[in-house]
Amino acid sequence: MKIGAILCLTFLSLVSIFSVSVSAFNDPSFSHSLKVPSLPNIASFEDDLSYSLYHKSCPNVEGIIYKKVQEWVKKDPTLAPSLMRLHFHDCAVRGCDASILLDHSGSERSANVSKSLRGFEVINDIKAELEKKCPKTVSCADILTTAARDATVLAGGPFWTIPFGRKDGRVSLAKETTTIPMGRESITKLIEFFQSKGLNVLDLVVLSGAHTIGRSSCESVQHRLYDYKGTKKPDPSINHAYLNYLRRKCRWASENVYLDATTPRTFDVQYYHNLKNKMGLLSTDQLLYSDSRTKPIADALSFESSLFSNQFSVSMVKLANILDVNSQDKGEIRLNCNRVNY
């Protein structure tokens, strides 16, 4: 009886959140405060994606990718969240076109925001195997998208189906990475960024939940520990015990610290409970629980893990379907994920 009541209340909470979100977006003052770039027309490219694309040309593509990701994650579990992050960074610039994988001077990969990205060797290994079994068939963009899904599953997260057919982009520019969130933005800036990619406030809060696993560099958080906004004092919103913990862990900017200090290796809703306890690692994490547009969603997701898992799948599908007109129209199937074909 109690479980039924909780689920009912949780469902009603989510319905309420969606209603609030819709009314907020319809509020002229709210819309005026956001500067959202116009979206390209991507519908035609989404229509080109297919669940059966490789059924005949590379029937075991998903099995090959999963086996390789499993091998790598077994050797190094930290690669699971790294592959998820690599996928996000790829889709954040020019859509999901594997432009983050291109390795040349001035590429996205060379940008400051990309310096802590990992997992490139995993994608290269998968690509090499697929070129043996199905040459010139599977794009690096589809490989990265699928590897991120499999990494999520191996970390204890949900499974979702993926349509295929993304092309590999031929352009990768470091200067275009400047809009990618780095952990210091305001909630309004984050909403603007997500909306510019066709994602909404719910997607923002849900995808931030990926911080239930993985690590961040101490460089990203040191300003909160010692000199918050030039005050020479720590961020007053940090739990005092958590502040002491972070100061012990982050004596050097080059060190790494878990994004979820409570259950760092478990894909769960503890991330949202941490926010309630003022234990969000990045400024952008903790701000989710202090803004009226995001706090109700974080609260609702913390009630029941199945709600988070289900919505995480939905938001990841939306993320993977971000496609850029130019990248897809002029795209290719790379033979080597690190460089364009010639």
Side-chain angles (χ1 to χ4, degrees):
M1 197 63 187
K2 289 182 179 180
I3 294 175
I6 291 172
L7 289 175
C8 181
L9 287 172
T10 304
F11 174 75
L12 290 174
S13 297
L14 285 173
V15 171
S16 174
I17 289 167
F18 300 149
S19 299
V20 170
S21 297
V22 170
S23 62
F25 282 118
N26 288 332
D27 183 347
S29 62
F30 179 79
S31 300
H32 180 71
S33 68
L34 296 174
K35 300 175 182 177
V36 184
S38 59
L39 283 168
N41 181 7
I42 63 175
S44 60
F45 292 103
E46 285 189 12
D47 291 341
D48 289 339
L49 299 181
S50 168
Y51 292 100
S52 61
L53 180 64
Y54 299 128
H55 280 188
K56 292 183 179 180
S57 59
C58 195
N60 196 32
V61 59
E62 292 192 77
I64 293 171
I65 294 174
Y66 180 81
K67 183 179 179 181
K68 282 293 184 182
V69 175
Q70 186 180 44
E71 289 173 0
W72 281 91
V73 171
K74 185 177 181 179
K75 289 187 291 184
D76 181 1
T78 66
L79 280 171
S82 293
L83 285 167
M84 295 162 64
R85 182 170 177 241
L86 186 61
H87 175 52
F88 177 83
H89 275 248
D90 180 44
C91 298
V93 181
R94 293 179 174 264
C96 307
D97 68 342
S99 54
I100 188 63
L101 304 179
L102 291 175
D103 191 11
H104 60 75
S105 177
S107 69
E108 294 168 31
R109 187 167 169 175
S110 69
N112 184 59
V113 70
S114 305
K115 66 182 182 181
S116 60
L117 292 179
R118 301 171 61 235
F120 298 101
E121 68 277 22
V122 180
I123 305 304
N124 289 339
D125 188 27
I126 296 170
K127 179 62 173 176
E129 185 66 19
L130 285 171
E131 283 302 306
K132 294 177 185 176
K133 303 290 176 61
C134 321
K136 303 179 182 180
T137 302
V138 184
S139 70
C140 299
D142 279 346
I143 292 172
L144 178 53
T145 298
T146 308
R149 188 272 310 275
D150 293 345
T152 304
V153 172
L154 289 165
F159 174 90
W160 60 91
T161 55
I162 296 173
F164 298 113
R166 297 163 192 79
K167 297 290 182 62
D168 296 326
R170 293 180 56 83
V171 177
S172 183
L173 302 171
K175 64 182 181 182
E176 293 184 348
T177 66
T178 56
T179 60
I180 298 176
M182 294 190 68
R184 295 193 180 195
E185 294 77 14
S186 66
I187 294 298
T188 295
K189 286 294 183 183
L190 288 178
I191 293 174
E192 289 176 1
F193 174 79
F194 271 68
Q195 283 193 316
S196 74
K197 307 301 175 185
L199 305 175
N200 57 33
V201 179
L202 178 60
D203 298 315
L204 164 61
V205 182
V206 169
L207 292 177
S208 295
H211 289 175
T212 181
I213 55 174
R215 301 178 298 175
S216 174
S217 68
C218 286
E219 181 182 5
S220 299
V221 73
Q222 279 194 327
H223 70 287
R224 297 188 70 203
L225 309 183
Y226 303 106
D227 188 22
Y228 184 65
K229 294 184 176 180
T231 62
K232 305 298 182 182
K233 297 179 180 180
D235 183 344
S237 70
I238 303 179
N239 176 295
H240 184 69
Y242 186 49
L243 173 64
N244 291 335
Y245 164 82
L246 291 177
R247 281 180 163 174
R248 290 195 304 273
K249 291 289 184 179
C250 286
R251 291 188 176 92
W252 305 100
S254 59
E255 296 293 322
N256 292 309
V257 62
Y258 286 118
L259 287 156
D260 174 358
T262 311
T263 57
R265 296 181 179 88
T266 306
F267 193 98
D268 56 19
V269 295
Q270 184 60 46
Y271 166 80
Y272 299 106
H273 290 290
N274 289 344
L275 302 186
K276 296 179 184 181
N277 295 324
K278 298 182 179 181
M279 293 173 60
L281 180 65
L282 305 177
S283 293
T284 46
D285 289 326
Q286 195 57 52
L287 285 174
L288 293 176
Y289 207 72
S290 63
D291 191 286
S292 61
R293 293 166 291 183
T294 52
K295 183 177 182 292
I297 303 175
D299 262 333
L301 292 170
S302 71
F303 293 149
E304 178 59 48
S305 60
S306 63
L307 290 174
F308 170 54
S309 293
N310 292 338
Q311 187 56 50
F312 190 81
S313 298
V314 173
S315 295
M316 285 296 282
V317 169
K318 290 177 66 176
L319 174 67
N321 286 352
I322 299 174
L323 303 172
D324 176 78
V325 173
N326 291 326
S327 291
Q328 296 305 302
D329 191 40
K330 300 175 182 178
E332 61 187 10
I333 307 296
R334 279 183 222 144
L335 302 181
N336 182 317
C337 290
N338 297 333
R339 56 178 181 267
V340 298
N341 298 335
Y342 292 100

